[in-house]
Amino acid sequence: MATIVGTSNTSSNDGNTLLLYHHEQSFYSQKVVFALMEKHLPFKSHIIQLPKFEQYEPWFIRLNPKGEVPVLRDGVKAIHRDCFQKRAAMRLLKIDEIPIEDLTIGCLLHQEFTHDTKLPKFIRHRMKALRTRRFSIIQEMMVQYPDLREHYERKLTIIQDKRRKQENRDELLKIMNKITQILDDVETELISHSTEEIEMWLTGERFTAADICLSVMLHRLFVLGLAFRWWGEDRRPHLAKYFEKTRRLESYKRACLTVSNYDKLMYAVEMLKQNMPYLVGTVVLVTALAFGVVFYKKLRK
């Protein structure tokens, strides 16, 4: 079900409202939501349930043969993920060259590179399970919908290639080295206008598409437990300050910190399990004290 998000002086009931197919935790979806919020453009949000492989359903494959989110529909025109990347000003710093999925899964498989990950355990387990299961799901779809076989076969080929790279520790190191080069360039750029009296972003006074791309990437590094590698403790102080400033933006919070109700529930369950020994101990202690008080009163009678 689609819900309308954002505010604007333009009525959203004229049939021209943008429709965004996306998922809250998708890196590329977060960039588009961030941009729409910054532009104050109202849009209808249609969540594609990636954990349920909805992106491989025939109706969505017909919408985007690559089976990827986000897709932004403006009337009859559908804009896919690749179009967003080609148009982004961040090409100058080559952030769009970073294979975020490979980085994310690589960090799950090689956790020795991370520290203090913000991903709850149930999400890490779910991502690993989905990675294993989606191959068979696509094969089933290929049999059920022969008219879309070509698209499913292409997707399988891409997934197989990605699996090999994600399992290769050296490939993950290559990605990290590329990120180091990019963030070195970012730090240099931020230093170049650090003496300005007015508030400055990456390329000037205005918060641009370059800032959105950079901010969402920094958020992903932070969530994966990689921030310690590139900023903080006197490493790239201007980048650290930039990220903290970005995190105060309402558009950042809406784009990057939105969590589904299901994930909120699962996180609460996970926290309950982790704290169960303490909770049980507290209940036992309180119960014992209550019985002690009752017993003491009886002795006084």
Side-chain angles (χ1 to χ4, degrees):
M1 182 177 179
T3 55
I4 295 180
V5 181
T7 58
S8 173
N9 295 327
T10 304
S11 171
S12 60
N13 298 318
D14 58 2
N16 295 322
T17 302
L18 298 170
L19 175 59
L20 180 64
Y21 299 91
H22 66 115
H23 186 269
E24 301 98 332
Q25 304 307 311
S26 158
F27 173 81
Y28 301 100
S29 294
Q30 289 172 346
K31 290 200 294 184
V32 176
V33 172
F34 206 146
L36 292 172
M37 296 301 297
E38 278 293 310
K39 293 290 186 180
H40 303 288
L41 291 173
F43 64 95
K44 289 183 178 179
S45 169
H46 184 124
I47 301 298
I48 300 299
Q49 296 296 342
L50 302 185
K52 296 181 180 180
F53 302 104
E54 190 179 2
Q55 70 274 30
Y56 303 137
E57 290 290 335
W59 73 266
F60 191 77
I61 290 294
R62 292 187 178 99
L63 182 65
N64 180 8
K66 290 189 175 182
E68 299 172 342
V69 292
V71 174
L72 183 64
R73 172 164 282 187
D74 183 4
V76 297
K77 183 179 180 182
I79 305 172
H80 302 158
R81 190 172 92 184
D82 291 343
C83 297
F84 295 121
Q85 289 183 233
K86 290 175 183 177
R87 297 177 184 182
M90 206 56 210
R91 285 178 297 178
L92 296 174
L93 290 174
K94 300 182 178 180
I95 280 185
D96 58 335
E97 294 180 6
I98 299 297
I100 292 296
E101 181 184 343
D102 294 347
L103 173 69
T104 302
I105 300 300
C107 286
L108 292 179
L109 299 178
H110 307 285
Q111 295 184 26
E112 66 272 18
F113 289 107
T114 66
H115 173 69
D116 190 25
T117 176
K118 303 302 184 292
L119 282 176
K121 186 181 294 184
F122 80 91
I123 287 185
R124 299 199 299 271
H125 289 170
R126 184 174 70 189
M127 291 175 70
K128 289 180 180 179
L130 293 177
R131 177 176 176 270
T132 301
R133 189 161 172 256
R134 68 175 177 171
F135 193 87
S136 60
I137 291 293
I138 296 175
Q139 287 180 317
E140 292 173 10
M141 291 290 187
M142 194 161 53
V143 174
Q144 293 179 36
Y145 305 99
D147 58 313
L148 299 173
R149 184 181 183 88
E150 179 184 351
H151 301 308
Y152 288 126
E153 285 182 339
R154 188 180 300 116
K155 193 67 182 178
L156 284 177
T157 300
I158 293 173
I159 290 174
Q160 287 176 319
D161 183 56
K162 281 183 171 293
R163 282 179 67 92
R164 287 191 290 269
K165 291 182 178 179
Q166 292 163 0
E167 292 167 0
N168 189 325
R169 190 174 182 273
D170 291 336
E171 289 295 328
L172 180 58
L173 284 172
K174 289 179 183 178
I175 297 173
M176 290 184 172
N177 289 336
K178 182 65 177 177
I179 293 173
T180 297
Q181 295 172 14
I182 290 172
L183 296 185
D184 280 342
D185 291 340
V186 168
E187 181 73 4
T188 300
E189 181 65 24
L190 292 174
I191 290 173
S192 70
H193 47 68
S194 60
T195 57
E196 298 288 343
E197 295 182 359
I198 57 176
E199 183 177 66
M200 299 286 284
W201 292 98
L202 182 59
T203 60
E205 298 177 45
R206 294 178 57 223
F207 190 84
T208 67
D211 292 288
I212 291 173
C213 293
L214 175 59
S215 299
V216 177
M217 188 183 79
L218 294 179
H219 173 75
R220 178 55 60 99
L221 298 179
F222 174 75
V223 168
L224 290 175
L226 294 172
F228 76 101
R229 291 181 169 274
W230 287 295
W231 69 87
E233 297 184 0
D234 299 326
R235 286 192 298 275
R236 300 183 183 83
H238 293 85
L239 179 66
K241 183 178 179 181
Y242 173 94
F243 184 52
E244 289 306 312
K245 183 170 64 172
T246 298
R247 295 177 71 188
R248 293 193 291 268
L249 296 175
E250 189 61 31
S251 50
Y252 166 86
K253 296 174 185 177
R254 295 289 297 273
C256 299
L257 303 184
T258 300
V259 180
S260 69
N261 290 332
Y262 175 78
D263 282 351
K264 289 178 183 177
L265 175 62
M266 292 302 296
Y267 183 69
V269 171
E270 182 176 309
M271 290 298 99
L272 183 62
K273 288 180 179 178
Q274 289 181 6
N275 293 285
M276 187 62 72
Y278 305 103
L279 293 173
V280 171
T282 301
V283 171
V284 171
L285 177 61
V286 171
T287 303
L289 288 173
F291 276 110
V293 170
V294 172
F295 183 67
Y296 176 73
K297 288 182 177 180
K298 286 184 177 179
L299 289 177
R300 292 291 300 270
K301 288 181 179 180

